[in-house]
Amino acid sequence: MAGSRGRPRSFDKQEVLEQALGLFWRRGYLGTSYQDLCAETGLTKPSLYAAYGNKEKTFLAALDLYVSRYVQPGIEGLKNEHDPREAIHRLLVETAKALTAQDTPPGCMIATNAACVEAPDISLTIADAIKAAAEMTVKSISTCLANAQATGQIPLNANIDALTAFYGTLITGLSGMAKQGTPQLELMQAVDVAMQVWPSEPPD
């Protein structure tokens, strides 16, 4: 048909973003080229650019999708659970499950990209976006613990900053272990041990 010559083929923008997310999750921002994105999505460069823009913009869209799908639910759980110990425990358990899910790459997409924020060829926009995403859960843990201490659910002598660093470091460690193929059961065992440091009132 004369009228169809040169017409770009249609595609599902959401599906394209899912494919881009998977690629950035597995290879990281630095390990993914625009050509890789085209090969993964099956789109030409003009079509991919029309959908999400350049590599940087495509990554930012994929990061936003990751945060909304995999990070934000955990943060909401910390806000809505009245028992702070249960809130932290549930966050860690769900994190371990997500890191080892069969339908997604192992590990954490944010952690996969965190190492590249100091690279000389990374833009400030990308570096800041990765740093902000990495800080979201840690800040929520800190808020959860501080509120618990203010309401008497955690002893006043508990070191909230140290606890926040401990659980934040644990999450990063769980991601690294999952990336290396550590079974979910072992991650769950690490979570169980981690909960043993939960602060309690000192004996009289």
Side-chain angles (χ1 to χ4, degrees):
M1 297 176 60
S4 63
R5 178 175 298 176
R7 181 187 300 169
R9 72 179 182 85
S10 61
F11 57 88
D12 186 328
K13 281 191 65 174
Q14 183 62 29
E15 181 180 353
V16 168
L17 188 57
E18 299 276 0
Q19 293 167 327
L21 170 59
L23 195 58
F24 286 126
W25 195 334
R26 295 192 304 272
R27 298 187 182 182
Y29 181 78
L30 288 179
T32 301
S33 68
Y34 206 67
Q35 185 173 349
D36 293 331
L37 287 168
C38 291
E40 183 75 9
T41 61
L43 297 180
T44 62
K45 289 184 179 180
S47 293
L48 182 58
Y49 192 90
Y52 289 104
N54 59 16
K55 174 184 165 181
E56 179 176 293
K57 292 180 180 179
T58 304
F59 176 83
L60 293 174
L63 182 61
D64 284 344
L65 175 61
Y66 183 88
V67 167
S68 65
R69 180 176 293 171
Y70 299 105
V71 178
Q72 200 61 45
I75 292 174
E76 292 302 317
L78 289 175
K79 292 178 181 179
N80 297 328
E81 172 59 57
H82 297 298
D83 181 342
R85 188 183 190 282
E86 177 59 27
I88 298 296
H89 183 245
R90 183 178 300 171
L91 172 68
L92 297 177
V93 167
E94 293 303 318
T95 296
K97 289 180 179 178
L99 293 172
T100 53
Q102 295 299 310
D103 57 345
T104 57
C108 168
M109 186 262 203
I110 297 171
T112 296
N113 287 277
C116 77
V117 297
E118 302 299 333
D121 51 347
I122 289 292
S123 72
L124 186 61
T125 300
I126 293 293
D128 286 347
I130 294 171
K131 290 177 182 178
E135 292 170 356
M136 290 178 67
T137 297
V138 175
K139 287 181 178 179
S140 296
I141 290 174
S142 178
T143 299
C144 173
L145 295 174
N147 289 341
Q149 190 172 58
T151 56
Q153 294 174 287
I154 290 180
L156 290 176
N157 65 340
N159 189 328
I160 298 302
D161 290 339
L163 276 174
T164 298
F166 173 73
Y167 287 119
T169 301
L170 175 65
I171 291 174
T172 300
L174 291 175
S175 175
M177 294 171 67
K179 190 80 171 179
Q180 295 170 14
T182 303
Q184 185 182 111
L185 176 60
E186 292 187 30
L187 301 191
M188 292 299 186
Q189 291 171 338
V191 169
D192 290 341
V193 172
M195 294 311 300
Q196 294 177 19
V197 308
W198 189 260
S200 57
E201 293 287 355
D204 296 332

